[in-house]
């Protein structure tokens, strides 16, 4: 049984709220038992002789709405506190809504990275802002230029050229040829 189609009995709802630290109306009501690796409360209940693990924010939203959430729906927080079960802090949304919310609140993984996969810092002239579904995303200017150059020159070493591009974008590099990293081919 999928957790999203789970219907709760009145006794289960009472049991659920007993395990939530209910505070003031505006405060977060945190789940008091187990949490998953992302910090969300997890509640285990039995259905048809099998244990089902459910995220507590989904259960709290389901109780608020008076219906199970569809499988594709997410229980999103206005408070950015994963163990919170306060129904006033929860709303139904899609995965797209969740990603957009992360970008708007500065929590998206790519927004908090300090450097690209090759180790070039996202700073100064090395930041390329590219359009994306959720607004603007950062890209490493050195790696972006290198990808374009390597298409025309597959014999070049990506890491060497990318590092040279990074030095250039930070103002410490005179030219790719000056250090002998790229040799101009002469027509014979």
């Amino acid at each position: 049984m999928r957790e999203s189609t789970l219907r709760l009995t009145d006794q289960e709802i009472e049991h659920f709220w007993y395990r939530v630290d209910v505070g003031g109306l505006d405060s977060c009501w945190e789940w008091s038992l187990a949490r998953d690796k992302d910090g969300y409360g997890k509640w285990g209940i039995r259905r048809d002789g099998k244990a089902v693990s459910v995220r507590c924010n989904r259960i709290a939203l389901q109780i608020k709405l008076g219906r199970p959430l569809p499988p594709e729906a997410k229980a999103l927080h206005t408070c950015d506190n994963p163990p919170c079960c306060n129904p006033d802090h929860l709303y139904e949304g899609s995965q797209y809504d969740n990603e957009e919310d992360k970008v708007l609140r500065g929590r998206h993984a790519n927004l908090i990275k300090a450097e690209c996969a090759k180790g070039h810092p996202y700073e100064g002239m090395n930041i390329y802002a590219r359009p994306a579904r959720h607004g603007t995303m950062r890209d490493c200017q050195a790696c972006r230029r290198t990808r374009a150059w390597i298409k025309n020159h597959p014999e070049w070493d990506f890491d060497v050229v990318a590092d040279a591009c990074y030095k250039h974008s930070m103002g410490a590099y005179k030219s790719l040829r000056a250090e002998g990293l790229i040799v101009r081919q002469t027509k014979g």
Side-chain angles (χ1 to χ4, degrees), residues 111-124:
L111 291 177
I112 57 178
K113 288 180 183 174
E115 56 188 35
C116 75
K118 295 292 182 182
H120 305 127
Y122 287 126
E123 61 183 25

Side-chain angles (χ1 to χ4, degrees), residues 11 26 33 104 122 183:
Q11 184 179 8
D26 294 332
L33 298 178
L104 291 173
Y122 287 126
V183 178

